[in-house]
Amino acid sequence: MDDDSRSFDEQALWAALALELLAKAAVARVSPLLIAEPNEEGTNLLIASGLVEGEARFTSVRAKTLMARCHKAFKPFDQAEAMKIINGRDEYLHSSGTGFMAIPPHSWWPRYWAQAAVLVTALDRDMEELVGTTREIEVTKHLEHNAKNIEQRTEALIERAKQRRQQWLDGSLPAKVAAEWKSAQYLSASMSHSEAATCPACELTGLFEGEEAIAEEIHYPRFGGYTDEGESYYLDDGSVSLTISADYFSCAGCQLVLNSYELIRQAGLPTEFDAEGDFDDYQEPEYGND
């Protein structure tokens, strides 16, 4: 964070390395097994679990896997934003790409600290403990700037969707924009779970989508008794109720797309929805004696 002695590239490099360490610390605080790279012999997992003692070390998971786990475990950590930081680091170290310069410093730092702050919270620590008292003020300014960006971005997306729909209704939509108008099928992110929801821009029916089940409730079949022939029967079938994290929203009526948890939350939409799971996926396997 020393502007007078380090270039932005060097600052961003150390910051990106620190972000990965923070992510490992946050996940490992739950269990070291979550950062151990699985292998056929299970050595990494055995070491991480403490079953293999001594000087043994285990290989940790790749950054992409790590960020995906943080995205699922620590809302509103944004995997896509974090990977932009990690990819910038890799380009800077290993290729002739733009590295960190793809995003200007005044935008890069607010986005960086937004992700770092989530991980610091996941560690049950304060930002002051990471950067010190004097620098905490600077980090707070970056966080406030990022929050304002999300607010402005959400407002801009909703207002543009309203404008676009009105132009479409009036028949004044420019030909190029009209040609880009997409059906609900092509707006979809094709995620595993979805649910209809009211659009915040046009109040028509849009679509929530998500992959991650953050809660599940299993309803087992109720035993009804036996038939006259001695066969058992059940009053109903088994079912599974899932609570899904809302990671994507789209509306074919006005072409609004909110493609992150933070945008959905800022728009005042629910950040989770209910879905039905496959009961067969939750049944215990039957084991034979052979």
Side-chain angles (χ1 to χ4, degrees), residues 21-35 66 74 119-125:
L21 287 175
L22 274 174
K24 285 184 179 179
V27 176
R29 191 169 188 268
V30 179
S31 172
L33 288 169
L34 295 174
I35 63 167
L66 180 65
F74 310 124
L119 298 175
V120 170
T121 300
L123 285 162
D124 295 320
R125 308 300 283 268

Side-chain angles (χ1 to χ4, degrees), residues 45-283:
L45 298 176
L46 289 170
I47 296 172
S49 67
L51 292 175
V52 176
E53 300 179 351
E55 299 297 322
R57 295 175 179 270
F58 66 85
T59 302
S60 59
V61 295
R62 295 174 299 168
K64 182 177 181 180
T65 301
L66 180 65
M67 298 309 169
R69 291 178 182 179
C70 287
H71 177 78
K72 292 181 178 180
F74 310 124
K75 296 294 185 183
F77 187 84
D78 191 321
Q79 179 184 357
E81 282 291 302
M83 286 310 300
K84 289 177 184 177
I85 295 169
I86 298 301
N87 291 337
R89 178 201 67 184
D90 293 343
E91 283 190 5
Y92 177 74
L93 290 173
H94 304 299
S95 74
S96 58
T98 56
F100 297 110
M101 297 308 295
I103 304 173
H106 68 270
S107 297
W108 194 91
W109 286 111
R111 295 162 74 167
Y112 172 83
W113 286 114
Q115 304 312 313
V118 176
L119 298 175
V120 170
T121 300
L123 285 162
D124 295 320
R125 308 300 283 268
D126 297 322
M127 187 61 71
E128 181 183 356
E129 297 177 86
L130 180 66
V131 301
T133 304
T134 56
R135 287 175 173 150
E136 184 185 16
I137 298 172
E138 180 182 348
V139 173
T140 299
K141 290 179 180 178
H142 285 311
L143 291 172
E144 290 173 348
H145 182 64
N146 186 71
K148 190 66 176 177
N149 283 343
I150 293 171
E151 180 183 343
Q152 292 173 341
R153 174 66 174 160
T154 306
E155 182 180 358
L157 287 169
I158 291 175
E159 290 304 314
R160 173 58 182 145
K162 290 179 179 179
Q163 179 188 61
R164 196 164 41 219
R165 175 167 174 78
Q166 191 58 52
Q167 288 180 299
W168 182 74
L169 292 172
D170 295 340
S172 59
L173 197 67
K176 183 177 180 180
V177 179
E180 295 171 351
W181 198 272
K182 298 177 181 178
S183 68
Q185 175 186 354
Y186 293 104
L187 277 178
S188 170
S190 300
M191 294 185 174
S192 300
H193 306 282
S194 62
E195 182 184 66
T198 301
C199 177
C202 66
E203 298 185 351
L204 295 175
T205 301
L207 190 70
F208 274 139
E209 295 182 63
E211 295 282 358
E212 177 196 357
I214 57 178
E216 57 193 37
E217 185 176 351
I218 304 174
H219 308 280
Y220 291 97
R222 291 182 297 164
F223 181 69
Y226 295 93
T227 64
D228 293 339
E229 289 76 22
E231 296 179 353
S232 60
Y233 70 92
Y234 294 86
L235 298 176
D236 51 23
D237 295 326
S239 63
V240 179
S241 300
L242 303 176
T243 301
I244 306 298
S245 174
D247 293 321
Y248 190 92
F249 173 84
S250 62
C251 174
C254 63
Q255 304 290 284
L256 175 65
V257 171
L258 303 172
N259 60 1
S260 75
Y261 177 92
E262 287 186 322
L263 291 174
I264 290 171
R265 184 178 61 175
Q266 181 62 45
L269 292 170
T271 55
E272 56 189 45
F273 61 91
D274 296 328
E276 184 177 341
D278 188 342
F279 181 73
D280 291 339
D281 293 338
Y282 294 85
Q283 294 191 83

